Amino acid sequence: MWDTLWTDIHVATADPARISTLDGYGCIRDAALGIKNGRISWIGTATDLPDTPQKLAQDVRSGQGFWMTPGLVDAHTHVIYAGDRSSEFAERLNGATYAEIAQRGGGILSTVNATRRATEEELLDVTARRVQRMMSEGTTTIEMKSGYGLTLKDELKQLRVARTIGKTLPVRVHATFLGAHALPPEFRDRQDDYVSHLIAEILPLAAEENLIDSLDGFCETIAFTPNQIERLFRAAADLEIPVRLHSEQLSNSGGTKLAARYGALSTDHLEYVTEDDVMELAHSGTVAMLLPGAFYFIRETHLPPVSLFRKHRVPMGLATDCNPGTSPSVSLTGIMNMACTLFRMTPEEAFAAVTRIGAQALGLQNLTGSLSLGKAADMLLWDIAGPHELSYWIGGRRPVHRIFDGKLSKSPFGNSGISGST
């Protein structure tokens, strides 16, 4: 007997086996879905159920004719930070430059300083509240980066917060070490020495304490060079840690080719990639992670080459890039709308980008990101006309309810109830 059976639903599975040229969502109308031990044990049309619902499951729930989708996967966030930079937004709009704000103690170093000052408990509290907002918007899996500590103590503090979030909240967490995010003041004009410090001191200890699932870096003219990032990638490979990369956001610096050469899970931003870069990604299987929130917030005008990703069949992911400086966003459906409006992605592409491709970018495609037999029952129930509507609302769209690992997940922000019987 199954633990739960959902009936009276339509399902957008995001399952490649069900996606056709006529249906880019893998839809099953008038469907039913069974759950056993947190995994999907049956999925199909309700008329094909092997017995009456009451004989099949202990708990039979009606979805009231709503749509069920996979839980959303946010595969690029900087959500672990302390402090507030909303005032900088107002200052810039009133004429202050980024350099002027930085000289007054603002910019990324203000976030670094605030994160360093916060205790682990304080950092956990503020991060948990942010993550709960993301959960209420439909996120069931989230990547969480370090990178606002930039010391051994504070990078490990951020990574421990990520692990604690994954243990205490109903959300799947992938923790990423981003020590190569910015150059800390202690290493001013000593960039190579800082990379050596990351390799010799922080990365091995983070790996030993099982605090990281992947390694990231910021490869850009204002950050770290391809040679410096490659040193980190080699160290990660020695520890059998997957890699990902921020690349080609502000210029073409060669990071995308490097990421492809090392089989990175994803390479992210990509406004300035060339067709040669895209072809390298196609051969490597690396996900092209697009971040329209940052594109919008910094008023970038150079579009990522979506047509080239399509041409060379490079999988495109989407994520919030939640961070205090360039993408203060917690809503993946809002990001889907931005991607369709700004980048001209289709609603079908946007849906895949925050479900199965997002899961692929975290190496979790065999566990979550689509609804099929044996996958984790990470699901959302939506009162919508169809999955295309998730990309329609500019302000984002909240699910009626959220199911994580087979269990109803109550949101602190409130959701409408679902009828059920036992």
Side-chain angles (χ1 to χ4, degrees):
M1 180 172 269
W2 304 326
D3 299 325
T4 308
L5 174 63
W6 285 89
T7 62
D8 302 319
I9 53 174
H10 306 300
V11 180
T13 65
D15 180 1
R18 293 184 182 271
I19 291 173
S20 69
T21 55
L22 298 177
D23 172 18
Y25 302 100
C27 292
I28 309 171
R29 290 184 176 271
D30 302 314
L33 186 149
I35 301 168
K36 180 73 173 178
N37 296 328
R39 298 297 180 100
I40 296 171
S41 55
W42 195 92
I43 186 170
T45 57
T47 54
D48 289 334
L49 281 168
D51 209 331
T52 61
Q54 287 70 25
K55 292 182 179 180
L56 290 170
Q58 300 173 16
D59 183 14
V60 179
R61 293 188 171 268
S62 169
Q64 303 175 13
F66 295 159
W67 279 87
M68 189 81 81
T69 73
L72 305 185
V73 180
D74 198 345
H76 181 128
T77 85
H78 302 258
V79 71
I80 311 170
Y81 67 89
D84 173 70
R85 286 167 63 187
S86 59
S87 63
E88 295 180 12
F89 176 68
E91 288 181 62
R92 288 199 303 272
L93 291 176
N94 280 289
T97 66
Y98 187 87
E100 289 169 343
I101 292 170
Q103 286 169 1
R104 294 197 295 266
I108 189 171
L109 284 182
S110 71
T111 301
V112 170
N113 289 332
T115 302
R116 288 179 175 184
R117 286 193 301 267
T119 67
E120 188 169 326
E121 292 73 20
E122 290 168 338
L123 191 58
L124 174 61
D125 178 67
V126 70
T127 302
R129 284 187 273 123
R130 234 172 256 133
V131 171
Q132 285 171 331
R133 289 178 60 200
M134 295 170 135
M135 290 163 52
S136 75
E137 299 277 350
T139 297
T140 57
T141 298
I142 182 171
E143 186 258 13
M144 304 171 72
K145 303 180 191 293
S146 66
Y148 286 127
L150 309 183
T151 66
L152 174 62
K153 170 189 170 185
D154 295 299
E155 286 293 296
L156 295 185
K157 178 173 69 178
Q158 284 190 275
L159 293 167
R160 282 194 296 267
V161 165
R163 284 289 186 247
T164 302
I165 293 286
K167 293 174 183 176
T168 57
L169 290 179
V171 66
R172 217 170 291 283
V173 171
H174 177 108
T176 298
F177 173 52
L178 180 58
H181 189 200
L183 189 66
E186 296 87 350
F187 283 85
R188 184 177 179 180
D189 300 325
R190 295 191 296 128
Q191 205 161 19
D192 285 330
D193 289 344
Y194 178 60
V195 172
S196 297
H197 173 63
L198 295 177
I199 292 169
E201 305 295 335
I202 306 181
L203 177 60
L205 191 54
E208 182 182 335
E209 294 187 22
N210 192 31
L211 293 176
I212 55 176
D213 301 306
S214 64
L215 174 140
D216 197 352
F218 186 17
C219 186
E220 188 52 76
T221 53
I222 63 170
F224 295 88
T225 68
N227 286 340
Q228 290 165 341
I229 295 294
E230 185 164 20
R231 291 175 59 200
L232 283 164
F233 279 8
R234 286 174 179 163
D238 289 342
L239 295 169
E240 299 183 340
I241 296 170
V243 297
R244 61 183 69 254
L245 190 63
H246 292 58
S247 66
E248 272 67 70
Q249 180 185 10
L250 306 172
S251 65
N252 190 286
S253 303
T256 299
K257 284 188 172 69
L258 176 66
R261 192 160 73 248
Y262 278 82
L265 291 171
S266 73
T267 188
D268 306 18
H269 286 291
L270 304 177
E271 281 86 342
Y272 286 84
V273 291
T274 66
E275 186 161 11
D276 283 346
D277 296 330
V278 174
M279 291 171 67
E280 293 287 338
L281 291 180
H283 293 140
S284 69
T286 298
V287 170
M289 185 60 61
L290 308 184
L291 305 172
F295 179 95
Y296 165 83
F297 200 77
I298 67 173
R299 297 193 290 182
E300 177 62 74
T301 58
H302 200 289
L303 289 162
V306 167
S307 60
L308 289 180
F309 297 134
R310 289 178 183 140
K311 175 182 174 182
H312 295 287
R313 299 189 178 185
V314 173
M316 292 182 287
L318 291 170
T320 62
D321 190 18
C322 176
N323 76 77
T326 62
S327 189
S329 171
V330 296
S331 171
L332 271 174
T333 53
I335 291 296
M336 292 167 72
N337 176 271
M338 286 186 187
C340 292
T341 304
L342 300 175
F343 299 167
R344 293 296 188 264
M345 288 176 69
T346 68
E348 293 88 348
E349 288 172 331
F351 180 75
V354 299
T355 55
R356 63 182 177 84
I357 295 174
Q360 179 183 341
L362 300 180
L364 297 175
Q365 63 269 31
N366 294 326
L367 176 64
T368 192
S370 61
L371 303 181
S372 60
L373 288 178
K375 293 283 186 74
D378 299 345
M379 311 182 300
L380 304 167
L381 197 64
W382 307 87
D383 182 8
I384 52 177
H388 61 277
E389 191 179 336
L390 298 180
S391 296
Y392 169 69
W393 290 97
I394 294 174
R397 195 80 160 92
R398 283 188 176 180
V400 172
H401 231 301
R402 181 180 184 277
I403 300 99
F404 177 74
D405 223 14
K407 299 180 179 64
L408 284 174
S409 173
K410 293 182 179 179
S411 165
F413 298 92
N415 283 311
S416 59
I418 301 298
S419 62
S421 63
T422 56

